[in-house]
Amino acid sequence: MNEDTPYASEEAAWDAYATKERTQIWARGPERFHFTQWTLFPAHGPGVELIPCGPGTSVLDLGFGACANLAHLASRGGRAIGVDVSRAQVDAARAAHGDRLELHHDTAERFLTRCREHFDAVVSVFGAVWFCDPEVLLPLILDRLKPGGVLMFSHRPPEDGEHGRTPHTDVLPAHRWSYAPGEWLDFLAAAGFTEEEAWTVPPPPTKEGLPGTVIVRGRRPS
């Protein structure tokens, strides 16, 4: 992404982010699902063991980006459904993975409002949950989970002085909603989730100095 040139829309900015080189590297996918940044920390942190997936399940990924995690979910035998605001990333994922994935070009809020399906899990790895107002998005997610279904998402920890709605960059017309783990617990409870958990995974010792990952998990009441 060119950090010197303002973008006309959020979609245009994410299209620019989905460069050919990045898509070619990421579309191959990791050997496991990562809630942390797998390109920086391979095989580090929790994965699919914390969400229902596999044959007979359906998992929705909000803001799937280069699609590596969603492709891994499909390889486990369940339905893998993805939503992304970038047409370029949707097209690249379809070219790389064909019909194995169910992909939608849309915003998270609009897709969830229109959707009538219920999912076993909703995930978002540095994705749409980080870029949407939680007071709006979390109730929409809860409505689309099956009873007992799980929401699990991750993002970079807030930087010094960063809290709540903050600009993603000076030139990208998008904002992050960055909160500490304890604050996410309050948002989950207010939206109606149960069994709320939130914690920070530090980088591995060999990557000391790099940012860790905030991971948040909640369940729809059965």
Side-chain angles (χ1 to χ4, degrees):
M1 183 180 297
N2 184 343
E3 292 297 336
D4 299 322
T5 304
Y7 292 94
S9 68
E10 184 175 352
E11 180 175 349
W14 291 122
D15 282 346
Y17 188 69
T19 62
K20 182 178 179 181
E21 179 182 8
R22 183 183 299 275
T23 300
Q24 286 179 339
I25 293 172
W26 286 10
R28 293 196 297 268
E31 295 180 357
R32 65 186 288 264
F33 188 105
H34 291 73
F35 281 100
T36 58
Q37 300 181 73
W38 72 269
T39 55
L40 296 177
F41 316 135
H44 179 70
V48 294
E49 68 276 5
L50 294 182
I51 59 172
C53 63
T57 65
S58 59
V59 180
L60 173 66
D61 188 345
L62 296 176
F64 60 78
C67 215
N69 279 322
L70 191 63
H72 180 79
L73 288 172
S75 73
R76 297 179 67 87
R79 288 183 59 217
I81 305 97
V83 177
D84 202 281
V85 72
S86 167
R87 168 66 72 182
Q89 295 190 142
V90 172
D91 290 345
R94 284 177 176 154
H97 303 290
D99 296 333
R100 291 198 305 141
L101 312 177
E102 300 176 34
L103 304 177
H104 301 268
H105 174 226
D106 212 341
T107 67
E109 298 102 320
R110 191 165 53 222
F111 176 83
L112 291 166
T113 299
R114 296 173 177 176
C115 180
R116 292 297 175 262
E117 182 176 354
H118 291 86
F119 304 96
D120 295 281
V122 174
V123 299
S124 182
V125 181
F126 291 71
V129 175
W130 196 21
F131 292 92
C132 297
D133 184 342
E135 293 184 315
V136 174
L137 190 67
L138 293 182
L140 293 175
I141 293 174
L142 186 75
D143 285 345
R144 301 272 54 88
L145 284 170
K146 296 177 182 178
V150 171
L151 163 66
M152 192 163 176
F153 64 91
S154 59
H155 64 78
R156 178 185 50 72
E159 297 177 341
D160 291 343
E162 185 180 48
H163 184 266
R165 185 179 185 270
T166 59
H168 186 50
T169 71
D170 291 338
V171 298
L172 172 59
H175 292 80
R176 297 188 300 258
W177 271 259
S178 296
Y179 295 100
E183 294 174 294
W184 280 118
L185 296 180
D186 294 336
F187 282 117
L188 288 175
F193 287 86
T194 61
E195 300 181 34
E196 312 96 283
E197 301 175 88
W199 66 100
T200 300
V201 176
T206 57
K207 301 290 186 177
E208 186 176 353
L210 292 178
T213 305
V214 171
I215 297 180
V216 185
R217 184 174 184 265
R219 187 181 297 274
R220 178 174 177 171
S222 298

